[in-house]
Amino acid sequence: MVARLFRLRVALLAAPFRETFTRSVGAVIAFAALFAAAILVATLPPRLSASAEQLATFDTAVGAVILGAVVLVPFFANRGHLEPRQFAGFPMSSSQVALGLLGSTIVSWPFLLLLSWVVALGVSRPAWHAHPVALWLTLLGVLVLGVCGARVASALSKLVIGSDRAGVVRAIGAVLLVAFAPVAVFIAATTFGESDGAFVDVTSALSWTPFGAPFAALWQMAAADDSGLAARFAIMGGFALLCLIVWFPLVKASNERVERPSDTAVARRGLGWFERFPARPASVISARTLTYWARDPRYRVALIAIPIAPIVMLLAFWVAGAGITVLALLPLPVMLLLLGWSLHNDVAMDSTAIWSHVASGIKGREDRAGRLAPVLVVGVPLAVIGSSLTVTVLGEWRILPAVIGLNLGVLFVAAGVASVFSVLMPYPTTRPGDSPFLQPQWSGSGSGRAQTMSIIVAILLSLPPVWFALHAVFDVEFAANLWALLFGVGYGALVLLTGVLIGGAVFNRSAPELIAVTQVYD
């Protein structure tokens, strides 16, 4: 059976070249470019580095990132992988499946790319050649760690997350990748420039992780430095052994666990956002709200208008002679504040469907939580990616935790406040189907009061995370930045949860009045 798995891997390895001529040529070019990139990443740094210390720092940081990606990426993107559950119906024990899948991983394109990078790294570092046995044993340990870690991550993703939430996890992985890209480019650009003590400190910390330890240990051996050498080898070997130990129970659990069968009488395709959410009240409201935001021109116009205010503010501050720090930090929090605040009249905007929530007995907190989906789906990736771009513009990637805490805190606070005001003070708005630029003519509707009070409350409640983040930005310390991140996310989540609960209680108490008010507006 193990031999058959190897033959299956070889067939999968050759599959890209068995397509049409055009696709086969494209596959050849793509793989050639990937292998060339892997070799260049290993061989180019020695030509650019000014000293062995600089090269050691670069190798440790880049090695930790690459090896970490090899282990973590399969957790977010595990489509097309051979998984233990696929062999549950064959006459094979779980240990045979585990050994076969683990051993046959070496016959795959990701492993061959990793192997080419590792070999090129070992060949292009003459300083490591003084201890050839230790060198190649360490690089072999890197390969074993990568294979075992990737298999465990992929199997864990399939077992814990399942196929129904796989799309959400892939989206999270894509957001993290896009957010990390500008910071990675900035770090790579500054590594071979002037000495950056903070980057050296971060690299030193990475050298004590399983992903950076082997590369730091090789440079220590080259420098005849024995301090912590055994500990770094132990970290690498211990992590690889732990992954190997966990792999076998994971395979057994994957083969024994039966997924809940889907109802064949229920449509699973063609339902848009409803396919991606479970059949629960808050989740269904989330799917419906996301559908409305994608199709209703009133929401689209509001989203397009959100960036206008930060642009105007930027021009005003630029004319006033504000510094680059203010100009870089200002736009994103303002956009997120307006995005979260845009829910403050969502009940009136959704007047044609609010009656169905009341008639079906949906609890207020489920209505409030479900309506947050569009803001969070748009806002959280925007906050993470925008924070990465902000620190890249500032040229100070050490403040990334504080900037993320600031932006997420402002988003959560604004959304929590809007969850209360949308049921507490609804006011007339454009009816569904009308032009988004047509405003209803109502006297004494209270629209100005509701808008003013909600935005003031949102700004006031946003001040604590803003204060801690600015303190960490202007006084760059690791502890202050970590505290700004934790406080911003924790405080914002607390305000958001409180807003959902308070808004849900108001919804339960005044649901009939909300229907009456929204029907009058229509």
Side-chain angles (χ1 to χ4, degrees):
M1 279 297 182
V2 175
R4 290 187 178 182
L5 282 176
F6 272 92
R7 289 198 292 271
L8 179 60
R9 284 284 191 183
V10 173
L12 292 174
L13 199 67
F17 308 106
R18 294 177 178 174
E19 301 286 341
T20 61
F21 176 77
T22 304
R23 291 186 177 182
S24 299
V25 172
V28 171
I29 295 174
F31 283 118
L34 288 173
F35 279 103
I39 294 173
L40 279 176
V41 169
T43 57
L44 195 59
R47 302 177 182 273
L48 302 177
S49 61
S51 63
E53 291 78 8
Q54 199 175 51
L55 184 58
T57 301
F58 180 82
D59 283 343
T60 302
V62 173
V65 170
I66 291 177
L67 196 55
V70 168
V71 173
L72 297 178
V73 166
F75 182 84
F76 298 98
N78 56 11
R79 289 188 299 182
H81 295 179
L82 290 180
E83 297 297 335
R85 189 170 294 172
Q86 296 172 320
F87 302 92
F90 292 89
M92 302 170 64
S93 64
S94 60
S95 59
Q96 287 179 310
V97 175
L99 288 174
L101 287 177
L102 196 64
S104 62
T105 304
I106 64 174
V107 190
S108 62
W109 289 114
F111 177 82
L112 294 178
L113 286 169
L114 178 64
L115 177 64
S116 63
W117 173 70
V118 167
V119 172
L121 193 68
V123 172
S124 61
R125 300 296 185 273
W128 295 355
H129 297 169
H131 305 84
V133 176
L135 166 62
W136 295 111
L137 284 178
T138 303
L139 295 181
L140 178 62
V142 169
L143 295 174
V144 172
L145 188 152
V147 169
C148 295
R151 294 306 318 180
V152 168
S154 180
L156 193 63
S157 175
K158 287 285 188 181
L159 184 64
V160 175
I161 296 172
S163 57
D164 55 339
R165 297 182 181 88
V168 177
V169 175
R170 284 194 296 271
I172 294 173
V175 169
L176 294 176
L177 177 62
V178 174
F180 179 74
V183 180
V185 171
F186 174 75
I187 292 174
T190 56
T191 301
F192 298 112
E194 296 180 0
S195 178
D196 190 340
F199 180 67
V200 174
D201 293 340
V202 172
T203 304
S204 178
L206 288 175
S207 69
W208 292 101
T209 65
F211 310 125
F215 309 102
L218 288 172
W219 277 108
Q220 275 191 267
M221 285 194 303
D225 181 10
D226 296 334
S227 59
L229 186 62
R232 286 190 169 92
F233 281 124
I235 290 172
M236 179 191 69
F239 184 80
L241 182 61
L242 176 64
C243 291
L244 192 62
I245 293 173
V246 170
W247 168 244
F248 287 90
L250 269 179
V251 173
K252 185 176 181 181
S254 298
N255 287 341
E256 293 177 353
R257 180 178 173 180
V258 179
E259 285 190 339
R260 183 178 180 178
S262 59
D263 189 352
T264 56
V266 177
R268 299 293 177 185
R269 295 292 181 266
L271 298 179
W273 284 103
F274 291 93
E275 298 176 9
R276 296 168 173 81
F277 288 86
R280 296 185 180 90
S283 303
V284 171
I285 294 172
S286 298
R288 183 183 60 76
T289 309
L290 284 166
T291 303
Y292 279 17
W293 278 58
R295 297 179 179 180
D296 196 327
R298 299 176 300 167
Y299 293 107
R300 292 202 297 266
V301 169
L303 286 177
I304 294 172
I306 284 176
I308 295 178
I311 293 174
V312 174
M313 295 177 68
L314 271 180
L315 291 175
F317 277 95
W318 178 69
V319 171
I324 184 63
T325 302
V326 175
L327 295 178
L329 288 175
L330 182 64
L332 189 57
V334 174
M335 289 178 60
L336 294 172
L337 176 70
L338 295 178
L339 178 62
W341 177 76
S342 65
L343 291 174
H344 75 281
N345 199 33
D346 192 58
V347 168
M349 295 278 285
D350 199 22
S351 58
T352 55
I354 189 66
W355 67 269
S356 63
H357 296 186
V358 178
S360 59
I362 290 177
K363 296 179 181 179
R365 64 174 182 269
E366 294 171 340
D367 175 87
R368 300 291 87 199
R371 293 176 184 274
L372 292 171
V375 167
L376 298 181
V377 167
V378 175
V380 173
L382 178 62
V384 176
I385 297 172
S387 299
S388 178
L389 294 174
T390 299
V391 300
T392 304
V393 171
L394 290 173
E396 181 56 87
W397 55 272
R398 292 178 295 171
I399 64 173
L400 180 61
V403 177
I404 292 177
L406 162 66
N407 293 320
L408 289 179
V410 170
L411 173 68
F412 293 159
V413 168
V417 172
S419 296
V420 177
F421 274 88
S422 65
V423 291
L424 191 63
M425 302 177 67
Y427 58 87
T429 187
T430 308
R431 295 182 300 178
D434 290 343
S435 170
F437 301 101
L438 179 65
Q439 293 300 318
Q441 300 299 319
W442 282 82
S443 60
S445 62
S447 59
R449 183 174 68 254
Q451 293 174 1
T452 303
M453 290 183 63
S454 58
I455 193 66
I456 289 176
V457 172
I459 292 174
L460 291 177
L461 290 179
S462 299
L463 291 179
V466 171
W467 189 87
F468 282 113
L470 292 179
H471 178 267
V473 167
F474 290 104
D475 186 12
V476 183
E477 292 183 359
F478 176 75
N481 273 267
L482 183 61
W483 169 249
L485 171 63
L486 297 177
F487 180 83
V489 175
Y491 174 84
L494 179 62
V495 174
L496 180 62
L497 177 61
T498 305
V500 168
L501 295 178
I502 295 176
V506 175
F507 183 93
N508 293 332
R509 186 186 63 192
S510 58
E513 289 80 4
L514 287 175
I515 293 180
V517 169
T518 54
Q519 294 306 311
V520 168
Y521 293 162
D522 284 342

